[in-house]
Amino acid sequence: MPFVIVEMWEGRTVEQKRNLVRAITDAMVNEAACKPDHLHVVIHETPKASWGRAGVLGIDMQENKQAQAAADAEEKGQ
Ligand SMILES: O=C(O)/C=C/C=C(\O)C(=O)O
């Protein structure tokens, strides 16, 4: 029973996850000769506040601060 686990930050839409599961299943069927009925794909979503890389939390990574500031500004209509 093939089992694929995806570890990623939370925040994707259901549609994105639906498409991701389909794409992973297609890849496993086409490239690894898996039977689709036996393939499990599990998505583990972790908050950025609980994810660290190089000693830095996801929420504290510079690129995320910039992206969040841009999103906040757009929401305020700036
Ligand atoms: O560690 C990083 O720099 C980025 C991680 C990003 C994810 O886990 C994600 O986009 O889900």
Short mmCIF file of all heavy atoms in Angstrom, two decimals, residues 10-77:
data_model
loop_
_atom_site.label_atom_id
_atom_site.label_comp_id
_atom_site.label_asym_id
_atom_site.label_seq_id
_atom_site.Cartn_x
_atom_site.Cartn_y
_atom_site.Cartn_z
N GLU A 10 0.36 25.35 6.47
CA GLU A 10 -1.07 25.45 6.24
C GLU A 10 -1.35 26.68 5.38
O GLU A 10 -0.51 27.57 5.23
CB GLU A 10 -1.81 25.58 7.59
CG GLU A 10 -1.47 26.84 8.34
CD GLU A 10 -2.15 26.89 9.69
OE1 GLU A 10 -2.81 25.93 10.09
OE2 GLU A 10 -2.00 27.94 10.37
N GLY A 11 -2.55 26.70 4.77
CA GLY A 11 -2.95 27.89 4.03
C GLY A 11 -3.42 27.63 2.61
O GLY A 11 -3.98 28.53 1.99
N ARG A 12 -3.19 26.42 2.10
CA ARG A 12 -3.68 26.14 0.75
C ARG A 12 -5.19 25.94 0.79
O ARG A 12 -5.76 25.51 1.78
CB ARG A 12 -3.02 24.88 0.17
CG ARG A 12 -1.71 25.14 -0.55
CD ARG A 12 -0.61 25.44 0.40
NE ARG A 12 0.68 25.61 -0.29
CZ ARG A 12 1.83 25.62 0.35
NH1 ARG A 12 1.89 25.50 1.66
NH2 ARG A 12 2.95 25.81 -0.32
N THR A 13 -5.84 26.23 -0.34
CA THR A 13 -7.28 26.01 -0.44
C THR A 13 -7.57 24.52 -0.64
O THR A 13 -6.67 23.74 -1.02
CB THR A 13 -7.86 26.80 -1.62
OG1 THR A 13 -7.33 26.25 -2.84
CG2 THR A 13 -7.53 28.28 -1.53
N VAL A 14 -8.82 24.17 -0.42
CA VAL A 14 -9.23 22.78 -0.68
C VAL A 14 -8.99 22.45 -2.15
O VAL A 14 -8.55 21.34 -2.48
CB VAL A 14 -10.71 22.58 -0.30
CG1 VAL A 14 -11.21 21.21 -0.77
CG2 VAL A 14 -10.89 22.71 1.21
N GLU A 15 -9.25 23.40 -3.03
CA GLU A 15 -9.04 23.15 -4.46
C GLU A 15 -7.57 22.86 -4.76
O GLU A 15 -7.25 21.95 -5.54
CB GLU A 15 -9.54 24.35 -5.28
CG GLU A 15 -9.58 24.12 -6.78
CD GLU A 15 -10.51 22.97 -7.20
OE1 GLU A 15 -11.39 22.57 -6.39
OE2 GLU A 15 -10.36 22.45 -8.31
N GLN A 16 -6.67 23.62 -4.15
CA GLN A 16 -5.24 23.36 -4.35
C GLN A 16 -4.88 21.96 -3.85
O GLN A 16 -4.14 21.22 -4.51
CB GLN A 16 -4.40 24.41 -3.62
CG GLN A 16 -4.40 25.77 -4.29
CD GLN A 16 -3.64 26.81 -3.47
OE1 GLN A 16 -3.93 27.00 -2.29
NE2 GLN A 16 -2.69 27.45 -4.09
N LYS A 17 -5.42 21.58 -2.69
CA LYS A 17 -5.09 20.26 -2.14
C LYS A 17 -5.72 19.15 -2.97
O LYS A 17 -5.11 18.09 -3.18
CB LYS A 17 -5.52 20.19 -0.67
CG LYS A 17 -4.66 21.09 0.22
CD LYS A 17 -4.97 20.95 1.68
CE LYS A 17 -6.18 21.76 2.06
NZ LYS A 17 -6.43 21.74 3.52
N ARG A 18 -6.92 19.40 -3.48
CA ARG A 18 -7.57 18.42 -4.36
C ARG A 18 -6.70 18.18 -5.60
O ARG A 18 -6.46 17.04 -6.00
CB ARG A 18 -8.95 18.95 -4.77
CG ARG A 18 -9.77 18.02 -5.63
CD ARG A 18 -11.15 18.58 -5.90
NE ARG A 18 -12.00 18.57 -4.71
CZ ARG A 18 -12.60 19.64 -4.17
NH1 ARG A 18 -12.45 20.83 -4.71
NH2 ARG A 18 -13.34 19.52 -3.09
N ASN A 19 -6.23 19.27 -6.20
CA ASN A 19 -5.39 19.15 -7.39
C ASN A 19 -4.05 18.50 -7.08
O ASN A 19 -3.51 17.73 -7.88
CB ASN A 19 -5.18 20.54 -8.01
CG ASN A 19 -6.46 21.10 -8.60
OD1 ASN A 19 -7.40 20.36 -8.89
ND2 ASN A 19 -6.52 22.42 -8.74
N LEU A 20 -3.50 18.83 -5.90
CA LEU A 20 -2.22 18.23 -5.49
C LEU A 20 -2.35 16.72 -5.32
O LEU A 20 -1.50 15.95 -5.80
CB LEU A 20 -1.75 18.89 -4.18
CG LEU A 20 -0.42 18.40 -3.61
CD1 LEU A 20 0.72 18.64 -4.59
CD2 LEU A 20 -0.14 19.08 -2.28
N VAL A 21 -3.42 16.28 -4.65
CA VAL A 21 -3.64 14.84 -4.46
C VAL A 21 -3.78 14.15 -5.81
O VAL A 21 -3.23 13.07 -6.04
CB VAL A 21 -4.87 14.60 -3.55
CG1 VAL A 21 -5.34 13.15 -3.62
CG2 VAL A 21 -4.55 14.98 -2.11
N ARG A 22 -4.50 14.78 -6.72
CA ARG A 22 -4.67 14.20 -8.06
C ARG A 22 -3.32 14.11 -8.77
O ARG A 22 -2.97 13.08 -9.36
CB ARG A 22 -5.66 15.06 -8.87
CG ARG A 22 -5.78 14.75 -10.34
CD ARG A 22 -6.03 13.28 -10.67
NE ARG A 22 -7.14 12.72 -9.93
CZ ARG A 22 -7.30 11.41 -9.68
NH1 ARG A 22 -6.41 10.53 -10.13
NH2 ARG A 22 -8.33 10.97 -8.99
N ALA A 23 -2.53 15.19 -8.71
CA ALA A 23 -1.24 15.22 -9.41
C ALA A 23 -0.27 14.19 -8.82
O ALA A 23 0.46 13.51 -9.57
CB ALA A 23 -0.64 16.63 -9.35
N ILE A 24 -0.24 14.08 -7.50
CA ILE A 24 0.64 13.09 -6.86
C ILE A 24 0.20 11.68 -7.24
O ILE A 24 1.03 10.81 -7.56
CB ILE A 24 0.64 13.28 -5.33
CG1 ILE A 24 1.38 14.57 -4.97
CG2 ILE A 24 1.28 12.08 -4.63
CD1 ILE A 24 1.23 14.99 -3.51
N THR A 25 -1.11 11.44 -7.23
CA THR A 25 -1.62 10.12 -7.61
C THR A 25 -1.24 9.79 -9.05
O THR A 25 -0.75 8.69 -9.34
CB THR A 25 -3.14 10.07 -7.41
OG1 THR A 25 -3.43 10.32 -6.03
CG2 THR A 25 -3.71 8.71 -7.81
N ASP A 26 -1.44 10.75 -9.94
CA ASP A 26 -1.08 10.53 -11.35
C ASP A 26 0.41 10.22 -11.48
O ASP A 26 0.81 9.31 -12.24
CB ASP A 26 -1.43 11.77 -12.19
CG ASP A 26 -2.93 11.93 -12.38
OD1 ASP A 26 -3.68 10.97 -12.09
OD2 ASP A 26 -3.34 13.01 -12.81
N ALA A 27 1.24 10.96 -10.75
CA ALA A 27 2.69 10.74 -10.82
C ALA A 27 3.06 9.35 -10.31
O ALA A 27 3.90 8.65 -10.91
CB ALA A 27 3.43 11.82 -10.04
N MET A 28 2.43 8.95 -9.21
CA MET A 28 2.74 7.62 -8.66
C MET A 28 2.26 6.50 -9.57
O MET A 28 2.92 5.45 -9.69
CB MET A 28 2.10 7.49 -7.26
CG MET A 28 2.74 8.36 -6.20
SD MET A 28 4.44 7.88 -5.82
CE MET A 28 4.16 6.39 -4.86
N VAL A 29 1.14 6.69 -10.23
CA VAL A 29 0.64 5.68 -11.16
C VAL A 29 1.54 5.60 -12.39
O VAL A 29 1.95 4.52 -12.82
CB VAL A 29 -0.82 6.00 -11.56
CG1 VAL A 29 -1.27 5.13 -12.73
CG2 VAL A 29 -1.75 5.82 -10.35
N ASN A 30 1.88 6.77 -12.93
CA ASN A 30 2.63 6.79 -14.19
C ASN A 30 4.11 6.51 -14.02
O ASN A 30 4.74 5.92 -14.90
CB ASN A 30 2.44 8.16 -14.88
CG ASN A 30 1.01 8.37 -15.31
OD1 ASN A 30 0.31 7.42 -15.66
ND2 ASN A 30 0.56 9.62 -15.29
N GLU A 31 4.68 6.94 -12.91
CA GLU A 31 6.13 6.83 -12.75
C GLU A 31 6.57 5.73 -11.80
O GLU A 31 7.73 5.34 -11.79
CB GLU A 31 6.71 8.17 -12.26
CG GLU A 31 6.31 9.38 -13.09
CD GLU A 31 6.74 9.26 -14.57
OE1 GLU A 31 7.70 8.54 -14.86
OE2 GLU A 31 6.08 9.89 -15.42
N ALA A 32 5.63 5.24 -10.98
CA ALA A 32 6.03 4.21 -10.01
C ALA A 32 5.15 2.97 -10.10
O ALA A 32 5.22 2.10 -9.22
CB ALA A 32 5.99 4.80 -8.59
N ALA A 33 4.32 2.90 -11.15
CA ALA A 33 3.48 1.72 -11.40
C ALA A 33 2.58 1.37 -10.22
O ALA A 33 2.32 0.20 -9.94
CB ALA A 33 4.34 0.53 -11.79
N CYS A 34 2.08 2.39 -9.52
CA CYS A 34 1.16 2.15 -8.39
C CYS A 34 -0.26 1.98 -8.93
O CYS A 34 -0.63 2.57 -9.94
CB CYS A 34 1.16 3.34 -7.43
SG CYS A 34 2.69 3.51 -6.54
N LYS A 35 -1.04 1.20 -8.21
CA LYS A 35 -2.47 1.13 -8.51
C LYS A 35 -3.17 2.27 -7.77
O LYS A 35 -3.03 2.38 -6.54
CB LYS A 35 -3.03 -0.22 -8.06
CG LYS A 35 -2.54 -1.41 -8.86
CD LYS A 35 -3.20 -2.67 -8.35
CE LYS A 35 -2.97 -3.88 -9.23
NZ LYS A 35 -1.62 -4.07 -9.73
N PRO A 36 -3.92 3.09 -8.48
CA PRO A 36 -4.51 4.26 -7.81
C PRO A 36 -5.42 3.90 -6.64
O PRO A 36 -5.47 4.63 -5.64
CB PRO A 36 -5.30 4.96 -8.93
CG PRO A 36 -5.37 4.00 -10.06
CD PRO A 36 -4.24 3.05 -9.91
N ASP A 37 -6.10 2.76 -6.72
CA ASP A 37 -7.01 2.37 -5.62
C ASP A 37 -6.27 2.05 -4.33
O ASP A 37 -6.87 2.01 -3.25
CB ASP A 37 -7.85 1.16 -6.03
CG ASP A 37 -8.89 1.52 -7.07
OD1 ASP A 37 -9.07 2.72 -7.34
OD2 ASP A 37 -9.52 0.60 -7.62
N HIS A 38 -4.97 1.79 -4.44
CA HIS A 38 -4.20 1.42 -3.25
C HIS A 38 -3.35 2.55 -2.71
O HIS A 38 -2.65 2.39 -1.72
CB HIS A 38 -3.29 0.23 -3.58
CG HIS A 38 -4.02 -1.01 -3.96
ND1 HIS A 38 -3.40 -2.11 -4.47
CD2 HIS A 38 -5.34 -1.31 -3.92
CE1 HIS A 38 -4.30 -3.04 -4.72
NE2 HIS A 38 -5.49 -2.59 -4.40
N LEU A 39 -3.39 3.69 -3.40
CA LEU A 39 -2.48 4.78 -3.03
C LEU A 39 -3.13 5.75 -2.05
O LEU A 39 -4.23 6.26 -2.29
CB LEU A 39 -2.05 5.54 -4.29
CG LEU A 39 -1.15 6.75 -4.03
CD1 LEU A 39 0.21 6.30 -3.53
CD2 LEU A 39 -1.01 7.60 -5.26
N HIS A 40 -2.44 6.00 -0.98
CA HIS A 40 -2.90 7.00 0.01
C HIS A 40 -2.01 8.23 -0.08
O HIS A 40 -0.79 8.11 -0.15
CB HIS A 40 -2.81 6.44 1.43
CG HIS A 40 -3.72 5.28 1.67
ND1 HIS A 40 -4.81 5.35 2.48
CD2 HIS A 40 -3.70 4.02 1.17
CE1 HIS A 40 -5.43 4.19 2.49
NE2 HIS A 40 -4.77 3.35 1.70
N VAL A 41 -2.63 9.39 -0.06
CA VAL A 41 -1.89 10.66 0.02
C VAL A 41 -2.43 11.39 1.24
O VAL A 41 -3.64 11.62 1.35
CB VAL A 41 -2.08 11.53 -1.24
CG1 VAL A 41 -1.31 12.85 -1.10
CG2 VAL A 41 -1.65 10.78 -2.50
N VAL A 42 -1.55 11.72 2.15
CA VAL A 42 -1.95 12.43 3.36
C VAL A 42 -1.20 13.76 3.42
O VAL A 42 0.02 13.80 3.25
CB VAL A 42 -1.64 11.60 4.63
CG1 VAL A 42 -1.97 12.38 5.88
CG2 VAL A 42 -2.41 10.29 4.59
N ILE A 43 -1.94 14.83 3.64
CA ILE A 43 -1.35 16.16 3.73
C ILE A 43 -1.32 16.58 5.19
O ILE A 43 -2.38 16.67 5.84
CB ILE A 43 -2.14 17.17 2.89
CG1 ILE A 43 -2.13 16.76 1.41
CG2 ILE A 43 -1.57 18.58 3.07
CD1 ILE A 43 -3.05 17.60 0.52
N HIS A 44 -0.13 16.79 5.69
CA HIS A 44 0.04 17.34 7.04
C HIS A 44 0.31 18.83 6.91
O HIS A 44 1.30 19.22 6.29
CB HIS A 44 1.22 16.68 7.76
CG HIS A 44 1.01 15.24 8.09
ND1 HIS A 44 2.03 14.43 8.49
CD2 HIS A 44 -0.10 14.48 8.11
CE1 HIS A 44 1.57 13.21 8.72
NE2 HIS A 44 0.27 13.22 8.49
N GLU A 45 -0.54 19.63 7.48
CA GLU A 45 -0.36 21.08 7.40
C GLU A 45 0.09 21.62 8.77
O GLU A 45 -0.55 21.34 9.78
CB GLU A 45 -1.67 21.75 6.99
CG GLU A 45 -2.12 21.35 5.60
CD GLU A 45 -3.41 22.02 5.22
OE1 GLU A 45 -4.45 21.52 5.66
OE2 GLU A 45 -3.37 23.05 4.52
N THR A 46 1.15 22.35 8.72
CA THR A 46 1.74 22.89 9.95
C THR A 46 1.70 24.41 9.92
O THR A 46 2.07 25.02 8.92
CB THR A 46 3.20 22.42 10.06
OG1 THR A 46 3.23 20.99 10.05
CG2 THR A 46 3.85 22.93 11.33
N PRO A 47 1.26 25.04 11.00
CA PRO A 47 1.30 26.51 11.04
C PRO A 47 2.74 27.01 10.93
O PRO A 47 3.67 26.37 11.43
CB PRO A 47 0.72 26.85 12.42
CG PRO A 47 -0.02 25.63 12.85
CD PRO A 47 0.68 24.46 12.22
N LYS A 48 2.90 28.17 10.28
CA LYS A 48 4.25 28.74 10.15
C LYS A 48 4.88 28.98 11.52
O LYS A 48 6.10 28.96 11.66
CB LYS A 48 4.19 30.05 9.36
CG LYS A 48 3.87 29.84 7.90
CD LYS A 48 3.76 31.17 7.17
CE LYS A 48 3.30 30.95 5.73
NZ LYS A 48 3.04 32.21 5.03
N ALA A 49 4.04 29.20 12.51
CA ALA A 49 4.56 29.44 13.86
C ALA A 49 5.11 28.17 14.51
O ALA A 49 5.71 28.23 15.58
CB ALA A 49 3.46 30.04 14.74
N SER A 50 4.88 27.02 13.86
CA SER A 50 5.38 25.76 14.41
C SER A 50 6.37 25.10 13.46
O SER A 50 6.57 23.89 13.51
CB SER A 50 4.19 24.81 14.67
OG SER A 50 3.31 25.35 15.61
N TRP A 51 6.98 25.88 12.59
CA TRP A 51 7.88 25.34 11.56
C TRP A 51 9.16 26.16 11.60
O TRP A 51 9.12 27.38 11.47
CB TRP A 51 7.21 25.49 10.20
CG TRP A 51 7.92 24.91 9.02
CD1 TRP A 51 9.09 25.35 8.46
CD2 TRP A 51 7.49 23.82 8.22
NE1 TRP A 51 9.40 24.59 7.37
CE2 TRP A 51 8.43 23.64 7.19
CE3 TRP A 51 6.37 22.97 8.26
CZ2 TRP A 51 8.30 22.65 6.23
CZ3 TRP A 51 6.25 21.99 7.30
CH2 TRP A 51 7.20 21.84 6.30
N GLY A 52 10.27 25.49 11.77
CA GLY A 52 11.54 26.22 11.79
C GLY A 52 12.48 25.75 10.70
O GLY A 52 12.50 24.58 10.35
N ARG A 53 13.25 26.68 10.16
CA ARG A 53 14.34 26.35 9.24
C ARG A 53 15.51 27.25 9.57
O ARG A 53 15.34 28.45 9.74
CB ARG A 53 13.93 26.55 7.78
CG ARG A 53 15.10 26.31 6.81
CD ARG A 53 14.68 26.30 5.36
NE ARG A 53 13.96 27.49 4.95
CZ ARG A 53 14.54 28.66 4.61
NH1 ARG A 53 15.84 28.80 4.67
NH2 ARG A 53 13.79 29.68 4.24
N ALA A 54 16.67 26.65 9.67
CA ALA A 54 17.90 27.38 9.97
C ALA A 54 17.75 28.20 11.25
O ALA A 54 18.25 29.33 11.35
CB ALA A 54 18.29 28.28 8.79
N GLY A 55 16.99 27.66 12.18
CA GLY A 55 16.84 28.32 13.47
C GLY A 55 15.85 29.46 13.49
O GLY A 55 15.79 30.21 14.46
N VAL A 56 15.06 29.58 12.42
CA VAL A 56 14.10 30.69 12.33
C VAL A 56 12.70 30.14 12.09
O VAL A 56 12.50 29.28 11.23
CB VAL A 56 14.49 31.64 11.16
CG1 VAL A 56 13.50 32.78 11.04
CG2 VAL A 56 15.91 32.17 11.37
N LEU A 57 11.72 30.65 12.84
CA LEU A 57 10.34 30.24 12.62
C LEU A 57 9.83 30.77 11.28
O LEU A 57 10.22 31.86 10.84
CB LEU A 57 9.43 30.79 13.73
CG LEU A 57 9.44 30.07 15.07
CD1 LEU A 57 8.48 30.76 16.03
CD2 LEU A 57 9.09 28.59 14.92
N GLY A 58 8.91 30.03 10.68
CA GLY A 58 8.32 30.45 9.41
C GLY A 58 7.74 31.85 9.46
O GLY A 58 7.89 32.64 8.54
N ILE A 59 7.07 32.18 10.57
CA ILE A 59 6.47 33.51 10.68
C ILE A 59 7.52 34.61 10.78
O ILE A 59 7.22 35.78 10.54
CB ILE A 59 5.52 33.61 11.90
CG1 ILE A 59 6.23 33.15 13.17
CG2 ILE A 59 4.22 32.87 11.65
CD1 ILE A 59 5.47 33.43 14.44
N ASP A 60 8.73 34.24 11.14
CA ASP A 60 9.79 35.24 11.30
C ASP A 60 10.70 35.33 10.07
O ASP A 60 11.59 36.19 10.02
CB ASP A 60 10.64 34.92 12.52
CG ASP A 60 9.84 35.03 13.80
OD1 ASP A 60 8.87 35.81 13.84
OD2 ASP A 60 10.18 34.31 14.77
N MET A 61 10.51 34.46 9.09
CA MET A 61 11.35 34.51 7.89
C MET A 61 11.04 35.78 7.11
O MET A 61 9.88 36.16 6.95
CB MET A 61 11.09 33.27 7.01
CG MET A 61 11.61 32.00 7.65
SD MET A 61 11.21 30.55 6.64
CE MET A 61 11.74 29.24 7.74
N GLN A 62 12.08 36.44 6.65
CA GLN A 62 11.94 37.77 6.06
C GLN A 62 10.94 37.79 4.90
O GLN A 62 10.10 38.68 4.80
CB GLN A 62 13.30 38.28 5.59
CG GLN A 62 13.37 39.77 5.44
CD GLN A 62 12.94 40.51 6.73
OE1 GLN A 62 13.28 40.11 7.84
NE2 GLN A 62 12.18 41.58 6.57
N GLU A 63 11.03 36.78 4.02
CA GLU A 63 10.15 36.78 2.85
C GLU A 63 8.68 36.67 3.28
O GLU A 63 7.79 37.23 2.62
CB GLU A 63 10.51 35.66 1.86
CG GLU A 63 10.47 34.26 2.42
CD GLU A 63 11.82 33.78 2.95
OE1 GLU A 63 12.63 34.60 3.41
OE2 GLU A 63 12.06 32.56 2.89
N ASN A 64 8.42 35.98 4.38
CA ASN A 64 7.04 35.87 4.84
C ASN A 64 6.55 37.16 5.46
O ASN A 64 5.39 37.53 5.33
CB ASN A 64 6.90 34.72 5.83
CG ASN A 64 7.06 33.39 5.13
OD1 ASN A 64 6.57 33.22 4.02
ND2 ASN A 64 7.77 32.49 5.75
N LYS A 65 7.45 37.86 6.14
CA LYS A 65 7.07 39.15 6.70
C LYS A 65 6.70 40.12 5.58
O LYS A 65 5.72 40.85 5.67
CB LYS A 65 8.21 39.72 7.54
CG LYS A 65 8.36 39.05 8.88
CD LYS A 65 9.43 39.74 9.71
CE LYS A 65 9.31 39.36 11.15
NZ LYS A 65 10.30 40.04 11.97
N GLN A 66 7.50 40.10 4.50
CA GLN A 66 7.21 40.99 3.36
C GLN A 66 5.90 40.61 2.69
O GLN A 66 5.08 41.47 2.37
CB GLN A 66 8.37 40.93 2.36
CG GLN A 66 9.63 41.60 2.87
CD GLN A 66 10.86 41.25 2.05
OE1 GLN A 66 10.83 40.39 1.17
NE2 GLN A 66 11.97 41.92 2.35
N ALA A 67 5.67 39.31 2.52
CA ALA A 67 4.42 38.86 1.88
C ALA A 67 3.22 39.21 2.74
O ALA A 67 2.18 39.64 2.24
CB ALA A 67 4.49 37.35 1.63
N GLN A 68 3.37 39.05 4.05
CA GLN A 68 2.26 39.36 4.96
C GLN A 68 1.98 40.86 4.95
O GLN A 68 0.82 41.29 4.96
CB GLN A 68 2.59 38.89 6.38
CG GLN A 68 1.41 38.96 7.33
CD GLN A 68 0.22 38.13 6.86
OE1 GLN A 68 0.35 36.95 6.61
NE2 GLN A 68 -0.94 38.76 6.72
N ALA A 69 3.02 41.68 4.93
CA ALA A 69 2.84 43.13 4.89
C ALA A 69 2.12 43.54 3.61
O ALA A 69 1.22 44.39 3.63
CB ALA A 69 4.20 43.83 4.98
N ALA A 70 2.48 42.92 2.47
CA ALA A 70 1.82 43.23 1.21
C ALA A 70 0.35 42.82 1.25
O ALA A 70 -0.53 43.56 0.78
CB ALA A 70 2.54 42.52 0.06
N ALA A 71 0.08 41.66 1.83
CA ALA A 71 -1.31 41.19 1.93
C ALA A 71 -2.12 42.10 2.83
O ALA A 71 -3.28 42.43 2.53
CB ALA A 71 -1.33 39.75 2.44
N ASP A 72 -1.52 42.52 3.94
CA ASP A 72 -2.21 43.42 4.87
C ASP A 72 -2.52 44.76 4.19
O ASP A 72 -3.62 45.30 4.33
CB ASP A 72 -1.36 43.66 6.12
CG ASP A 72 -1.27 42.43 7.00
OD1 ASP A 72 -2.05 41.48 6.78
OD2 ASP A 72 -0.41 42.42 7.90
N ALA A 73 -1.54 45.28 3.43
CA ALA A 73 -1.73 46.56 2.74
C ALA A 73 -2.83 46.45 1.70
O ALA A 73 -3.67 47.35 1.57
CB ALA A 73 -0.41 47.00 2.08
N GLU A 74 -2.86 45.33 0.97
CA GLU A 74 -3.89 45.14 -0.06
C GLU A 74 -5.27 45.06 0.59
O GLU A 74 -6.24 45.63 0.09
CB GLU A 74 -3.59 43.87 -0.85
CG GLU A 74 -4.52 43.70 -2.05
CD GLU A 74 -4.09 42.54 -2.92
OE1 GLU A 74 -2.88 42.38 -3.16
OE2 GLU A 74 -4.98 41.80 -3.35
N GLU A 75 -5.34 44.39 1.72
CA GLU A 75 -6.62 44.25 2.42
C GLU A 75 -7.14 45.62 2.88
O GLU A 75 -8.33 45.87 2.87
CB GLU A 75 -6.44 43.33 3.62
CG GLU A 75 -7.74 42.85 4.23
CD GLU A 75 -7.48 41.83 5.32
OE1 GLU A 75 -6.98 40.74 5.02
OE2 GLU A 75 -7.77 42.16 6.50
N LYS A 76 -6.21 46.49 3.23
CA LYS A 76 -6.60 47.84 3.68
C LYS A 76 -6.83 48.77 2.49
O LYS A 76 -7.15 49.95 2.68
CB LYS A 76 -5.52 48.42 4.59
CG LYS A 76 -5.45 47.75 5.94
CD LYS A 76 -4.31 48.34 6.77
CE LYS A 76 -4.13 47.58 8.06
NZ LYS A 76 -2.83 47.83 8.68
N GLY A 77 -6.60 48.29 1.28
CA GLY A 77 -6.81 49.10 0.08
C GLY A 77 -5.73 50.12 -0.16
O GLY A 77 -5.96 51.17 -0.76
#
